[in-house]
Every structure is written in C-alpha cells, then in structure tokens.
Amino acid sequence: MTTEVADSRLAAYPALSAYLRQTEGPQVQIPPMPKTPPRPPVPPIRVTPTALRNGILATGLVVTALWAVQAEPSARLDVLFATGAHLSGLLAGYGILVMLFLMARVPAVEHGVGADRLARLHALGGRYVLTLCLGHALLALCGYAAHADTDLLSAALDLLGYPGLVLAAVGTALLMAVGVTSARAMRRRVPHETWRAVHLLTYLGAALAFVHQLAGPDVAGSILTAWLWSMLHATVAVLLVWYRVVVPVRQALKHSLRVIDVRDEGPGVVSVVMQGIGLDGLRAEPGQFFRWRFLRRRLWRTALPFSLSAPVRDDTLRITVKALGDHTRRMRRLKPGTRVLATGPFGALTAHRRTRRKVLLLAGGVGITPMRALFETLPGGPGDITLLYRAGSAEQLVLREELEAIARSRGAGLHYLLGRSDASFDPLAPQALRNLIPDLAEHDVYLCGPPGMTASATAALVRAGVPEERVHAECFTF
C-alpha cells in the first residue's frame, strides 16, 4: 500500500490499524482541502441615468396609450376640450407619481443617478406637472362651458357644486403652493423648516388627485386601467414609506449612532466624529453623504446633507462642516453623547464612475470633504491620483495635514490653488490646468465645490480636452 489509510472506521479496530501501518510503504501525505475563499461582496445595484430616463418615458407612453384607446374622435368643441382635459389630467397624475418616486430615496436610483441630479430632475419635472394641472383644469372648464353653453364663471361655480371636483381643486391649490415656495426667488426667503412643511403638502395633494382620477372616465371606465393605476400609486407609496420612514428608523435602532468628538479644523470649520454599532453594514462608500439629524434643541427638526470626510473605520463616521448658516453654526456646540439619526448613504460620486487609470480630484472650499475620502481610498499607484485644492488663502485649507500625509504615503500629487480669481488670475483656466497636468485629457475628473466654481471648472475642463462624460460632479445646493 502506498497511500495513507484515512478511513475513520479503522479506529474501531486498533490491532488491524496498527498492522496496516507496519506493513504499508512510505506514506503519502494528503494535503488538507483548501478553505473556501470568502465570497466578494455583492456590488450594489445601480440604475443609470439613461435607464431611469427611458423607464420614465416608456411608462409615460403607456399612460398616453391608455388615454388613446378610450378617446372618441369628434369635431365638437366641447369634446375636443374634454379630450385634452383627459390627456393632461392623466399625464399630470403620472407626473406627480414620478416626482414622488424621484424623491423616495431608493438606493439603486440614488447611487446610480446621484441625489443632486435627482433633485434637479424633481424641480424641473415639478414645473411640467403644475403646467399640466393648470392645463387640465382650464380645458375641463372650457369643455363644460361649451357643453352647457354658458360662460366660464358660471361653469366654474357649477363645477364646484360637485364634491369630487372640490377635492381636485384643493389638491391643485396645494400643489401650486408647493411650487410657489419652491421657486428660486421664494426659496431664498423662506426658512427651511417652513419650506419643508409646505413641501409635505405634496403628499396630500397627490392623494386628492388620485381620488379624483379614480372617479374620472379615463381610469374608472376600464377595470384593467383602474387596476394598473392603483398598482402604480401603491408601489410608489410603499417605496416612500419604506425608504423614508422604515429604513431610517431601523438604522437608528440598529446602529445607535452618537457624537464622540467635535474638533476645530480651521476658521469656521469643524469635524464631527460619531460612533455606532455595526457601521460596516451601512456599506457607505467614500464620496457619499448622509442626511444627518442631531437630536438636540434647534437642530433635530432638520436633516442636513454632509459628505463623509474619511472612510468608515472602527465603527466611526466623520463629517467636516463649514459654518454657513444657523444650523451649521450650532454644530460647533454639539456635545459628546448627542444622539444622531443618519439616513443614507446617498450620492453617486464614488469609485464606480471611474473609467481611466489616472484620476484628478478637484475640490473647492469645503468640497474637499468627499475628495479627501476618495484621495485616500481610490486604487492607484504613484502618479495615478492627483488632488487640486482651490481656496482663497492658505488659512482656508481644511484637513491639510491629512492630505499631505496621504500624498506622501501614496506617491500622489497634491497642489493648492490659492488666491482670489479675477480677470488676470484664474488657476482653473484651461491652460493653467494643462500646465499642472500635461496629460489632463487622459484623466477621469471628480469635482466638488460651490455651484459657481463647479460650473466654471467643468467648462474649463471640457475646453482643456476632458470629455464631459468623464467629469463627475455633485452639488448639494438643492
């Protein structure tokens, strides 16, 4: 015998086992079976901007088809008005659903599209929805007036005699109030808490619109249409409740996040360090942000969006905040032990956007916070990662010692672009960028800073030869 006897059943016969060991030849050691390597983490699902747009448009075509199969061609004026009212009403109802879905904070959509882009789509879509709502009301009023052969004022008074139409009018008024307070000129004058309270009226307006639609001929006229319409609303309602209520509460109970340190980082800038339990389960990526609610007086009512300024480690999270308003100024006075509710992570400014070996990180002001986390963690050898940090002066540089330590340990490039921009000096001009990074056009660029700086830097990068699809930016001024 040339193989080792390994049958465990011989243990019951010690004499036979000893005899076999004495008579067998040289033993061949059977190596132990290798341990099964751990499975790599499953990458999160991400919905691309193209997929989101195509999905919205495709469903909109289905809604239009539902109207088309029930429309009755006619040259009568009242029927033409009524047909237009039915189409605009269906599209307005669908548009409300889209607006709610975009703000439902579904992780696959947030991580693939980006919270800033979703907010802009939400704002843009809101204008179309309000236009459709007003168009629907006006067409319906004109159609009724033409059918009853009366004037518009008498027609309006007659229509308000129907309870269902009164509810529809109230819902439209609520949506209009939301739209007015969200207009850029008004948004600057309205306190955030007031704006948010008015914005919550969207849910009531959507509910009243849904009740009105169920009674309308385009939905109620077909069992299949009524079922599909109800399923669409139910799906969006479940997503809203799950991701905006259930998930945040579950995270708060599971991770028990509390402030453990608040330290100065520069003029008007502080870092807040928080510790919790099992924070790896959040699967937060460098470059992402959370919405933070600090449970102390005059802060707990507002969820503030701040990026992580360091990777998650040792069950700690860190944000770095500049005092720009009442809420951020109060964060300097946070005490260790303060309970924190964190919703997220959100944002798409992560490593998954990378398409090139070389990467340029371009930060302006406090926009350095997500760039600092990416500067430490993006894979790459010496010379592959470069950080440009734009600030008015050396005193305004935040996390400087950390950035320089990371640059030394990784062999990464680090350049400070200091000074105020004017007609004669612009460190972000295309030629200035090419002088610093001669092969700039071969880079992916991650960009974060104030809106004006982000817009001008994006334009300069494109003129310097970087394709626009390789400039990855995120702006948090929603």
Side-chain angles (χ1 to χ4, degrees), residues 179-247:
V180 169
T181 56
S182 297
R184 186 172 300 177
M186 286 292 296
R187 182 71 182 86
R188 298 191 183 107
R189 296 180 174 88
V190 177
H192 180 80
E193 289 79 7
T194 303
W195 171 84
R196 184 170 181 81
V198 174
H199 219 69
L200 291 175
L201 295 175
T202 303
Y203 300 117
L204 179 57
L208 293 175
F210 175 61
V211 173
H212 171 64
Q213 290 157 4
L214 284 183
D218 293 292
V219 174
S222 166
I223 295 177
L224 176 61
T225 302
W227 183 83
L228 289 173
W229 203 246
S230 298
M231 287 302 100
L232 275 176
H233 282 75
T235 300
V236 173
V238 169
L239 291 173
L240 282 165
V241 172
W242 182 257
Y243 287 113
R244 296 196 66 129
V245 179
V246 176
V247 169

Side-chain angles (χ1 to χ4, degrees), residues 360-365 368 372 375 386-408 412-419 425 427-428 432-433 436-437:
L360 170 64
L361 306 174
L362 179 52
I368 189 61
R372 182 256 177 256
F375 193 44
T386 303
L387 172 63
L388 301 184
Y389 186 1
R390 179 79 177 93
S393 64
E395 290 74 23
Q396 296 176 6
L397 296 174
V398 179
L399 307 175
R400 181 172 184 172
E401 293 182 2
E402 295 182 18
L403 296 173
E404 293 174 354
I406 294 170
R408 286 193 300 269
L414 174 61
H415 303 277
Y416 302 124
L417 309 179
L418 304 178
F425 173 73
L428 297 179
L433 292 172
L436 278 173
I437 308 169

Side-chain angles (χ1 to χ4, degrees), residues 426-466:
D426 183 6
L428 297 179
Q431 188 57 49
L433 292 172
R434 282 195 296 262
N435 291 340
L436 278 173
I437 308 169
D439 58 346
L440 177 62
E442 302 301 319
H443 284 63
D444 265 315
V445 180
Y446 286 71
L447 173 60
C448 188
M453 175 262 187
T454 300
S456 61
T458 299
L461 288 164
V462 172
R463 292 199 303 272
V466 181

Side-chain angles (χ1 to χ4, degrees), residues 117 348-362 371 374 378 384 437-448 454 457-474:
R117 187 180 296 179
L349 196 67
T350 60
H352 89 277
R353 285 191 172 184
R354 185 178 184 177
T355 63
R356 292 291 187 273
R357 179 174 64 86
K358 291 191 173 184
V359 175
L360 170 64
L361 306 174
L362 179 52
M371 297 295 105
L374 289 167
L378 278 178
D384 288 345
I437 308 169
D439 58 346
L440 177 62
E442 302 301 319
H443 284 63
D444 265 315
V445 180
Y446 286 71
L447 173 60
C448 188
T454 300
T458 299
L461 288 164
V462 172
R463 292 199 303 272
V466 181
E468 191 169 0
E469 63 271 14
R470 284 201 265 119
V471 179
H472 315 300
E474 208 159 52

Side-chain angles (χ1 to χ4, degrees), residues 285-333:
E285 301 177 61
Q288 291 187 313
F289 70 97
F290 286 77
R291 290 182 171 91
W292 310 89
R293 196 181 295 272
F294 298 93
L295 302 187
R296 58 158 291 169
R297 190 171 64 90
R298 304 180 74 180
L299 273 177
W300 68 270
R301 292 191 300 168
T302 303
L304 304 167
F306 295 119
S307 298
L308 297 175
S309 61
V312 180
R313 57 168 65 95
D314 300 328
D315 275 339
T316 63
L317 302 174
R318 188 186 76 177
I319 58 175
T320 302
V321 181
K322 185 174 183 178
L324 297 173
D326 292 339
H327 294 94
T328 47
R329 280 193 288 270
R330 292 180 186 123
M331 291 179 65
R332 300 177 63 92
R333 298 191 291 273

